[in-house]
Amino acid sequence: MWNFAVMGLGGIAKRVIEGIVLTPSACLYAVASRDASKAEAIRESSGAKKAYGDYEAMLEDPLVDVVYICTPNYLHHAHIMAALAHHKHVICEKPLVSNEAQLRECFAYAKEQQCFLMEAEKTLFTPLNQKIKEMIEDGVIGKV
C-alpha cells in the first residue's frame, strides 16, 4: 500500500483524490494546501489521515510515499524538486514543467534520488490506447 499526499487542493485535486481513494494499492494519507482550514475540510470530507497547511511539513512526513502535485503550473518545477529532495515519488499534473531544461533537470534529479517521476497523463492508460500499444508491439498494424 502506497501512502499518497495531494499537494495543492484546487479544482483538479477533487478528481485526483477520488481516484486515489478508489485505488486498492493506494491510501490517501495526506492533503496539503497553503490554507490549513481548506486542507482540514478536505481531509474530513475525503477521509485522509492528515491535513497540512504547509507543503514543507507534508514533505517532511516520513509516512508519505508519493506526492501528487496539483498546484498551479508555474510552481510545478519547484514543487517537483522539493518533493524529490525529500525522497518522495512524484506524479504531477500536466504540464509537468515549463521547458525542456526543467524537464531534463527534474528527471535527472529523480534518477539521482532513485524516485519515480511521472506526468499525470491519463490517456496513456485508457483501454483504447493500451490496445493500440499492444497492436503496435505485436506488429498487427505494421511499422509505426
Side-chain angles (χ1 to χ4, degrees), residues 41-89:
I42 291 178
R43 184 202 63 76
E44 288 177 14
S45 67
S46 67
K49 294 176 180 19
K50 300 206 89 176
Y52 289 97
D54 178 87
Y55 296 147
E56 184 66 23
M58 179 271 295
L59 291 173
E60 290 174 356
D61 186 329
L63 296 179
V64 172
D65 299 312
V66 182
V67 176
Y68 195 114
I69 298 174
C70 295
T71 57
N73 297 349
Y74 74 94
L75 295 172
H76 287 179
H77 178 261
H79 289 160
I80 289 167
M81 296 300 281
L84 292 172
H86 286 85
H87 301 283
K88 308 299 183 192
H89 301 288

Side-chain angles (χ1 to χ4, degrees), residues 92-141:
C92 183
E93 272 303 317
K94 57 190 177 311
L96 194 69
V97 290
S98 300
N99 59 57
E100 182 182 356
Q102 289 180 343
L103 184 70
R104 290 184 184 282
E105 179 185 20
C106 287
F107 276 103
Y109 194 44
K111 184 176 183 178
E112 178 184 320
Q113 296 295 85
Q114 298 181 338
C115 290
F116 177 83
L117 170 61
M118 178 183 158
E119 181 177 61
E121 183 54 65
K122 68 182 179 194
T123 57
L124 295 174
F125 304 102
T126 62
L128 175 61
N129 283 332
Q130 290 296 301
K131 182 65 177 175
I132 291 169
K133 182 178 183 284
E134 178 185 314
M135 291 172 71
I136 290 169
E137 290 170 351
D138 292 344
V140 173
I141 59 175

Side-chain angles (χ1 to χ4, degrees), residues 24-54:
S25 60
C27 169
L28 179 61
Y29 174 75
V31 292
S33 172
R34 292 174 298 168
D35 179 343
S37 61
K38 182 176 188 176
E40 182 56 32
I42 291 178
R43 184 202 63 76
E44 288 177 14
S45 67
S46 67
K49 294 176 180 19
K50 300 206 89 176
Y52 289 97
D54 178 87

